C-alpha cells in the first residue's frame, strides 16, 4: 500500500461517512498527486456533513418527503433536471420558487369559471411549479445518500401515498366547510408558507465549487437509445398505463357493484395509498440489497395476482378492500425500484452497454419520470376504451362480470409487463 493510501485511512475521522466511491476516487487521484494535495482534498471532504446518516441528511430527506407529498408533474422532470445541471446556483432556489409559483397558480385557479381554465391552471401551471420545486430533491439525493440511496428514494416516494390519503380528506373538508374559492385560498397560503422552511433543508451537500464541472449529461444521451434503457423504459410506460386505472375507477366500481356510500367507496383509494406508502419504504430498502430485476419481478407478481385474483374473482366489498391493500403495496412501490435501474444505466457491467462517458443518474430518473407521465396521460383514453359498453357484464363471476372486467385484466397484464426485465435478464437480452 502506498504512502498516500495509508494517509487516507488516517485522515478520515470516524464521524465522517466517506463512501467507498469517494475513497476510491481519492486513491485513484493520488497516483498523480502528492500527499499535501490529497490531505487538502480529504480535509475538505471530512468537513462536509456525512452521507447516509446524521441530522443534516435526515432533515434533507424529510423536506424532500414533504415536497413530494405536495405533488409533482412527471413529464417535465428531465428538462428541469437538465436546467439544474446547467445552472447549479439557480437550482438551490428552485424549491422555494416552485412552491411560491404553485401557490400563486392555486390562488389564481380559484377565479376559474370553465373547465379549460382549471386544466390550464391546476393541471399544467401548478404541475410545472411543482416540478421545479421537486427536482432539486432528486439532484441532491445523490450527494446526501450513497449506500442507502434506495431507502432514501423509497421514503421520499412514500410521501405520494401519504399525500394521496391526507390531502383529499383535507381538501374535501375545506370545500365542504368554506366553499371552492376559500378552500383554494387556504391551500395557496399553505404552499406559500411552506416554501421557505422546505427550501432551507432541500439543499446540496457539496458546495458548488466542489462539484464536478461541466457534467457531460447533454453530450452523452446515447444511453437513451440503448437496449437496456429502452427495455426498462418500455416496461415503465406500460406499467404506468395500468397503475393509475384502479385509483380512478375503484370508487365508482364500489358504488355501482355494491351500492355503498361515498365514504366507503372512497376508502378503496385511501387503502391503496396507505399500502403504497409502506410498500415504497420497504421496496426502497430492498433495492439497496437485491438485484433490480428481483425487485421488479416481486412487484409484478404481487400486483398482478392482486388484480387478476383478488379483484377479478371477488364478489364482496371486503375482497375489494383486500385487493386495494395488496395492490397498493406491490404496485405502489414500483418507482422505489428506480434507483436500481439508475444504477444499471449509469454503471453498466458489460462493454456492450458502455456509453463512453459518465451518465448522470439524476437525468436517468428524469427520463423514467417522463415515461411514467406518458403512461399516466395515455391511461385516460385507454380506460375509456376498456370499459366502453361494459364488456362481460353479467357473463362471468366476480369483478370480471361487473362491466369492469377488461380493465381488471389490463391492470394485471400491465403489472406483469412492469416486471419483464426479470425475464429479459434470464433470456440474456438485458
Amino acid at each position: 500500500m502506498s504512502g498516500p493510501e495509508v494517509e487516507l485511512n488516517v485522515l478520515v475521522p470516524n464521524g465522517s461517512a466517506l463512501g467507498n466511491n469517494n475513497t476510491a476516487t481519492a486513491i485513484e487521484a493520488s497516483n498523480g498527486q502528492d500527499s499535501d494535495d490529497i490531505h487538502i482534498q480529504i480535509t475538505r471532504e471530512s468537513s462536509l456533513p456525512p452521507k447516509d446518516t446524521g441530522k443534516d441528511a435526515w432533515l434533507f430527506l424529510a423536506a424532500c418527503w414533504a415536497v413530494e407529498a405536495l405533488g409533482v408533474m412527471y413529464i417535465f422532470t428531465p428538462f428541469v433536471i437538465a436546467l439544474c445541471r446547467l445552472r447549479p446556483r439557480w437550482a438551490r432556489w428552485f424549491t422555494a420558487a416552485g412552491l411560491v409559483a404553485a401557490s400563486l397558480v392555486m390562488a389564481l385557479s380559484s377565479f376559474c369559471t370553465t373547465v379549460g381554465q382549471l386544466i390550464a391552471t391546476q393541471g399544467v401551471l401548478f404541475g410545472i411549479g411543482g416540478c421545479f420545486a421537486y427536482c432539486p430533491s432528486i439532484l441532491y439525493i445523490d450527494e446526501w445518500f450513497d449506500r442507502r440511496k434506495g431507502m432514501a428514494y423509497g421514503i421520499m416516494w412514500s410521501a405520494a401515498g401519504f399525500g394521496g390519503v391526507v390531502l383529499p380528506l383535507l381538501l374535501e373538508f375545506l370545500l365542504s366547510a368554506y366553499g371552492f374559492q376559500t378552500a383554494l385560498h387556504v391551500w395557496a397560503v399553505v404552499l406559500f408558507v411552506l416554501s421557505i422552511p422546505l427550501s432551507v433543508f432541500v439543499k446540496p451537500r457539496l458546495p458548488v465549487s466542489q462539484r464536478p464541472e461541466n457534467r457531460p449529461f447533454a453530450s452523452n444521451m446515447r444511453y437513451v437509445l440503448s437496449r437496456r434503457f429502452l427495455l426498462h423504459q418500455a416496461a415503465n410506460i406500460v406499467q404506468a398505463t395500468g397503475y393509475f386505472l384502479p385509483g380512478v375507477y375503484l370508487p365508482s366500481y364500489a358504488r355501482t357493484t355494491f351500492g355503498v356510500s361515498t365514504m366507503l367507496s372512497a376508502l378503496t383509494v385511501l387503502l391503496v395509498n396507505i399500502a403504497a406508502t409502506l410498500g415504497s419504504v420497504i421496496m426502497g430498502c430492498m433495492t439497496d440489497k437485491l438485484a433490480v430485476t428481483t425487485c421488479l419481478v416481486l412487484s409484478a407478481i404481487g400486483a398482478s395476482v392482486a388484480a387478476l385474483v383478488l379483484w377479478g374473482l371477488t364478489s364482496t366489498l371486503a375482497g375489494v378492500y383486500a385487493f386495494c391493500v395488496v395492490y397498493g403495496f406491490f404496485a405502489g412501490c414500483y418507482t422505489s425500484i428506480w434507483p436500481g435501474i439508475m444504477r444499471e444505466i449509469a454503471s453498466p457491467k458489460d462493454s456492450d452497454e458502455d456509453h463512453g462517458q459518465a451518465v448522470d443518474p439524476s437525468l436517468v430518473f428524469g427520463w423514467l419520470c417522463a415515461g411514467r407521465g406518458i403512461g399516466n396521460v395515455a391511461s385516460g383514453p385507454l380506460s375509456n376504451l376498456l370499459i366502453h359498453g361494459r364488456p362481460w357484464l353479467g357473463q362471468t363471476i366476480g369483478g370480471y362480470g361487473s362491466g369492469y372486467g377488461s380493465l381488471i385484466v389490463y391492470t394485471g397484464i400491465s403489472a406483469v409487463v412492469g416486471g419483464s426485465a426479470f425475464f429479459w435478464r434470464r433470456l440474456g437480452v438485458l
Side-chain angles (χ1 to χ4, degrees):
M1 182 178 293
S2 64
E5 291 181 24
V6 174
E7 186 177 12
L8 288 176
N9 294 326
V10 174
L11 288 174
V12 179
N14 293 332
S16 68
L18 279 178
N20 294 332
N21 293 340
N22 295 330
T23 305
T25 302
I27 293 174
E28 183 179 353
S30 69
N31 294 332
Q33 297 178 347
D34 58 31
S35 59
D36 290 338
D37 293 335
I38 295 176
H39 179 89
I40 294 172
Q41 182 178 353
I42 300 302
T43 300
R44 287 176 177 173
E45 176 67 27
S46 62
S47 67
L48 297 171
K51 281 187 177 182
D52 296 306
T53 187
K55 171 179 65 69
D56 292 314
W58 288 110
L59 285 174
F60 163 79
L61 187 57
C64 293
W65 183 93
V67 172
E68 168 67 21
L70 298 175
V72 62
M73 190 168 188
Y74 290 110
I75 294 179
F76 289 102
T77 304
F79 308 104
V80 178
I81 288 179
L83 181 59
C84 290
R85 287 301 191 199
L86 287 170
R87 294 291 183 267
R89 296 185 187 276
W90 296 4
R92 174 67 179 86
W93 306 108
F94 276 1
T95 296
L99 289 176
V100 169
S103 68
L104 294 176
V105 169
M106 187 60 64
L108 180 64
S109 70
S110 67
F111 301 102
C112 293
T113 57
T114 67
V115 174
Q117 291 172 351
L118 279 174
I119 293 175
T121 53
Q122 292 190 19
V124 178
L125 295 178
F126 181 83
I128 293 174
C131 189
F132 271 89
Y134 172 71
C135 283
S137 302
I138 303 304
L139 211 64
Y140 301 146
I141 274 187
D142 277 346
E143 297 181 12
W144 283 105
F145 291 90
D146 182 21
R147 292 177 293 102
R148 307 169 79 179
K149 190 177 297 182
M151 177 211 68
Y153 273 103
I155 291 176
M156 184 179 70
W157 277 106
S158 72
F162 179 85
V165 174
V166 174
L167 294 186
L169 297 176
L170 175 61
L171 293 175
E172 177 65 24
F173 167 77
L174 292 174
L175 288 168
S176 300
Y178 303 106
F180 176 73
Q181 280 198 337
T182 302
L184 294 186
H185 290 165
V186 170
W187 185 235
V189 170
V190 169
L191 290 174
F192 184 82
V193 170
L194 288 176
S195 62
I196 299 303
L198 289 178
S199 65
V200 168
F201 296 110
V202 179
K203 61 182 180 180
R205 175 176 173 269
L206 300 174
V208 175
S209 60
Q210 294 189 33
R211 293 182 208 165
E213 296 182 1
N214 300 321
R215 298 195 66 164
F217 69 87
S219 60
N220 181 23
M221 300 295 282
R222 286 180 293 176
Y223 69 87
V224 176
L225 299 178
S226 69
R227 182 178 61 215
R228 186 186 304 271
F229 180 81
L230 289 175
L231 288 174
H232 278 304
Q233 183 71 300
N236 176 50
I237 293 173
V238 173
Q239 196 271 352
T241 61
Y243 171 70
F244 295 99
L245 298 181
V248 174
Y249 287 99
L250 275 171
S252 61
Y253 174 84
R255 284 194 302 270
T256 58
T257 305
F258 303 107
V260 299
S261 65
T262 301
M263 183 62 190
L264 290 178
S265 62
L267 182 59
T268 56
V269 178
L270 296 181
L271 288 174
V272 170
N273 286 323
I274 292 171
T277 300
L278 180 61
S280 294
V281 176
I282 293 176
M283 186 59 79
C285 294
M286 292 175 63
T287 304
D288 287 326
K289 302 179 183 300
L290 300 178
V292 62
T293 51
T294 302
C295 295
L296 287 169
V297 79
L298 287 175
S299 172
I301 291 173
S304 59
V305 169
L308 299 175
V309 177
L310 293 181
W311 191 9
L313 299 180
T314 189
S315 300
T316 66
L317 183 61
V320 173
Y321 286 157
F323 155 74
C324 294
V325 173
V326 177
Y327 183 80
F329 184 91
F330 284 100
C333 70
Y334 187 85
T335 51
S336 295
I337 309 173
W338 285 1
I341 299 176
M342 295 156 59
R343 186 169 58 242
E344 280 205 350
I345 302 301
S347 305
K349 295 181 180 180
D350 53 272
S351 58
D352 291 339
E353 293 288 343
D354 187 357
H355 311 294
Q357 293 176 307
V359 172
D360 186 348
S362 297
L363 202 54
V364 175
F365 179 96
W367 289 117
L368 290 173
C369 268
R372 195 159 181 82
I374 292 171
N376 189 3
V377 172
S379 67
L382 175 62
S383 65
N384 290 330
L385 293 174
L386 290 172
I387 64 171
H388 180 69
R390 305 292 298 275
W392 311 340
L393 179 62
Q395 299 177 14
T396 185
I397 63 171
Y400 293 122
S402 64
Y404 293 81
S406 57
L407 186 141
I408 294 172
V409 170
Y410 184 82
T411 300
I413 292 175
S414 65
V416 173
V417 175
S420 59
F422 177 86
F423 304 101
W424 294 130
R425 178 67 53 83
R426 292 298 180 273
L427 294 173
V429 178
L430 185 63

